[in-house]
Amino acid sequence: MGSRPRLDVSRLRTDDGVPKARLAASQLRRHRRIVDAVIELAEKGGFEGVRLRDVAEVSEVALGTLYKYFHSKEDILLFALTEELEKLEHAMAAHPVDGTSPLTRVTRFFERATRGMTYRPQFARAMLRAMASGDVQVASKVAGFHSRMTRLIVAALRGKPVDLSRDISPATSTERERQVAFMLQNVWFASLVGWAGGLHPTRDIASRIRIAAALMHTKSSED
Amino acid sequence: MGSRPRLDVSRLRTDDGVPKARLAASQLRRHRRIVDAVIELAEKGGFEGVRLRDVAEVSEVALGTLYKYFHSKEDILLFALTEELEKLEHAMAAHPVDGTSPLTRVTRFFERATRGMTYRPQFARAMLRAMASGDVQVASKVAGFHSRMTRLIVAALRGKPVDLSRDISPATSTERERQVAFMLQNVWFASLVGWAGGLHPTRDIASRIRIAAALMHTKSSED
DNA sequence: ATCAATATTGAAACATGTTTCAAATATCAA
DNA sequence: TTGATATTTGAAACATGTTTCAATATTGAT
């Protein structure tokens, strides 16, 4: 919260993750080194494994500089999460999920998303922890994540490829679709957190989603 | 995680919050002073407002002793949350929610629960933050919280008073009821977190629950 | 190439959760 | 009451996220 960096280098990208122009190549490289170092450390030791002094050392950047680029430890992990989401978006655009009913498709979508998260368990745990930090700073980014996920879910419900070029706006989906997407995300997130805490195995995540979708009678996308 | 306290004073209560016998009265008093101090500080400054050095000072207990009674800052806040849940349980037992349909009743139940949480916003934020900490230590307590909430939700769906004397067991509810309860809790929690992060007003919490319940066709408790 | 503006470094300091431990107290059975 | 045992205290130390700042380096316009 306190004082912002004097020079707002941290605005390399907008809050939505859109790259801002006008950034020296060396700065982009520094930015990447930082993120890569965090990923590397998170893969080994999860959230706690990411010690910022180590991040600074691995990425060959001064500790103070880290804070010119990011607001906090959580902020870096959220950035990494955004990159994961981008991968998922591209995968969905290139290879839309198939299946004959919205229920099947949406279930398969979440299976894919879950696999992407749980493939590197420690890294996933670190990102989840960052999301759940409850920090106000972070909450708005989480909201952005949410609306991008909604777009993907709606596409899966409809059985159409996502149109990534199209802006994210409520106009592209019905109220009902957004409500369903909202709930499924809630269930997905809660299940991931439970999984991360060791309360249940990976497989349960998918089954909860399926149950939730079924409960909402996700048979046809309008009903 | 690390080393447990040498002498397990911290087991004043079991993980479920059930008081264990055989505790000197002076220890119970210390325990209470600690919790009260945390509540007092959390009401003023939320999660960050709870500085353990202050807790120690206000409760007139040495810092090291705090850690004989609780595993962490989150642990104390979770204890406070459990107490809130107990209040809710007693309120529901004494004055069951009424309404002619499961949808109405469950909605009213969550309105009551929400009011109980948001009445002291900073305190609520602190408890939510503790819940979301992602700590494994804490995850199992959250699971316990979950099943107690499930019992209350099922009672509301059925329009019967909770039987607090009855043990919490799956046998007391149908699969379907538990699934609905699970999802509503996910939505409730996510909405509370969104509210805590300033993303939306209190009123939206109730409306999301209503929408979620309606989506699941919570018209009669078996259907 | 030179200079002014801007960014990075290195190192120390700070804040706060958590741990440690010897000395002082409290508790309780005999 | 006394002594053995268990608990609490007080104070310092530790770990790690975050901030600060003077000295140094980089960059971009001229």
Side-chain angles (χ1 to χ4, degrees):
Chain A
M1 279 272 97
S3 50
R4 318 196 161 291
R6 287 188 302 283
L7 294 171
D8 223 345
V9 185
S10 71
R11 307 194 176 258
L12 284 177
R13 297 177 177 237
T14 68
D15 282 347
D16 302 344
V18 181
K20 278 193 172 173
R22 206 143 266 289
L23 248 290
S26 76
Q27 291 182 311
L28 287 180
R29 260 183 274 117
R30 235 181 235 106
H31 189 268
R32 179 108 303 274
R33 287 207 309 277
I34 294 170
V35 176
D36 287 343
V38 165
I39 294 173
E40 179 186 330
L41 292 168
E43 279 177 354
K44 287 187 211 149
F47 188 83
E48 338 230 289
V50 181
R51 278 162 51 236
L52 292 187
R53 283 167 178 79
D54 293 345
V55 173
E57 190 179 329
V58 172
S59 62
E60 297 181 281
V61 148
L63 202 44
T65 306
L66 272 187
Y67 283 90
K68 297 263 170 54
Y69 284 78
F70 297 97
H71 293 304
S72 66
K73 176 172 172 174
E74 282 84 2
D75 196 32
I76 318 184
L77 283 162
L78 249 344
F79 183 85
L81 180 65
T82 302
E83 289 192 326
E84 292 303 308
L85 175 56
E86 257 150 37
K87 286 184 202 165
L88 181 62
E89 283 175 340
H90 289 124
M92 292 301 297
H95 309 286
V97 82
D98 60 20
T100 54
S101 73
L103 177 64
T104 320
R105 290 191 297 269
V106 87
T107 302
R108 286 188 184 157
F109 164 73
F110 276 105
E111 277 166 8
R112 209 185 273 189
T114 301
R115 211 172 313 119
M117 282 294 276
T118 56
Y119 178 64
R120 292 169 292 177
Q122 290 301 302
F123 181 39
R125 268 183 257 272
M127 290 187 296
L128 285 168
R129 171 84 182 254
M131 277 188 94
S133 82
D135 186 80
V136 177
Q137 187 71 242
V138 150
S140 63
K141 301 209 178 181
V142 173
F145 184 85
H146 225 277
S147 44
R148 288 169 76 172
M149 279 291 284
T150 297
R151 177 169 62 172
L152 296 178
I153 296 168
V154 169
L157 285 172
R158 294 185 180 175
K160 294 182 176 177
V162 220
D163 183 356
L164 296 182
S165 65
R166 189 78 83 76
D167 225 30
I168 299 175
S169 76
T172 358
S173 54
T174 68
E175 177 77 13
R176 166 74 196 256
E177 285 170 334
R178 265 172 283 129
Q179 290 171 352
V180 169
F182 176 77
M183 290 192 57
L184 291 178
Q185 283 182 82
N186 290 170
V187 174
W188 190 55
F189 184 72
S191 295
L192 281 171
V193 169
W195 161 81
L199 297 185
H200 51 73
T202 314
R203 134 180 50 86
D204 283 19
I205 301 171
S207 87
R208 287 186 175 182
I209 290 289
R210 192 171 17 253
I211 290 169
L215 276 180
M216 290 183 293
H217 300 219
T218 317
K219 297 205 182 69
S220 77
S221 47
E222 65 295 305
D223 116 283
Chain B
M1 276 270 101
S3 52
R4 317 197 164 292
R6 286 189 303 282
L7 294 172
D8 224 345
V9 185
S10 70
R11 306 196 177 258
L12 283 177
R13 298 179 177 237
T14 68
D15 282 347
D16 302 343
V18 181
K20 278 192 169 175
R22 207 140 266 290
L23 248 291
S26 75
Q27 292 182 310
L28 287 180
R29 262 183 273 118
R30 236 181 233 108
H31 189 269
R32 180 108 300 276
R33 288 207 308 277
I34 294 169
V35 177
D36 287 343
V38 164
I39 294 174
E40 179 186 330
L41 291 168
E43 279 177 355
K44 287 187 211 147
F47 188 83
E48 338 229 290
V50 180
R51 278 164 48 238
L52 291 188
R53 283 167 178 79
D54 293 345
V55 172
E57 190 180 329
V58 171
S59 62
E60 297 181 281
V61 148
L63 203 41
T65 306
L66 272 188
Y67 284 90
K68 297 261 170 55
Y69 284 78
F70 297 97
H71 293 305
S72 66
K73 176 172 171 172
E74 283 83 2
D75 197 32
I76 317 182
L77 283 162
L78 249 345
F79 183 85
L81 180 65
T82 301
E83 289 192 326
E84 292 302 309
L85 175 56
E86 258 150 37
K87 286 183 202 165
L88 181 62
E89 284 176 339
H90 289 124
M92 293 300 298
H95 308 286
V97 82
D98 59 20
T100 54
S101 73
L103 177 64
T104 320
R105 289 191 298 267
V106 87
T107 302
R108 287 190 183 156
F109 164 71
F110 275 104
E111 277 165 8
R112 208 185 275 190
T114 301
R115 210 172 314 121
M117 282 294 276
T118 56
Y119 177 64
R120 292 168 293 177
Q122 290 301 304
F123 181 39
R125 269 183 257 271
M127 290 187 295
L128 285 168
R129 170 82 182 257
M131 275 187 96
S133 82
D135 186 82
V136 178
Q137 187 72 241
V138 150
S140 62
K141 300 208 180 183
V142 173
F145 184 85
H146 226 278
S147 45
R148 288 169 75 173
M149 279 291 284
T150 297
R151 178 170 61 173
L152 296 179
I153 295 169
V154 169
L157 285 171
R158 294 184 178 177
K160 293 183 178 177
V162 220
D163 183 356
L164 295 181
S165 66
R166 189 77 84 76
D167 226 28
I168 298 175
S169 77
T172 0
S173 55
T174 69
E175 178 77 14
R176 166 74 197 256
E177 284 170 334
R178 265 173 283 128
Q179 290 171 351
V180 169
F182 176 77
M183 289 193 58
L184 290 179
Q185 282 183 83
N186 290 169
V187 174
W188 190 55
F189 184 72
S191 295
L192 280 172
V193 169
W195 161 79
L199 297 185
H200 52 72
T202 314
R203 134 180 51 86
D204 283 19
I205 301 172
S207 88
R208 287 186 174 180
I209 290 289
R210 191 171 17 254
I211 290 169
L215 276 178
M216 289 184 295
H217 300 214
T218 316
K219 297 205 184 70
S220 77
S221 49
E222 66 294 303
D223 117 282

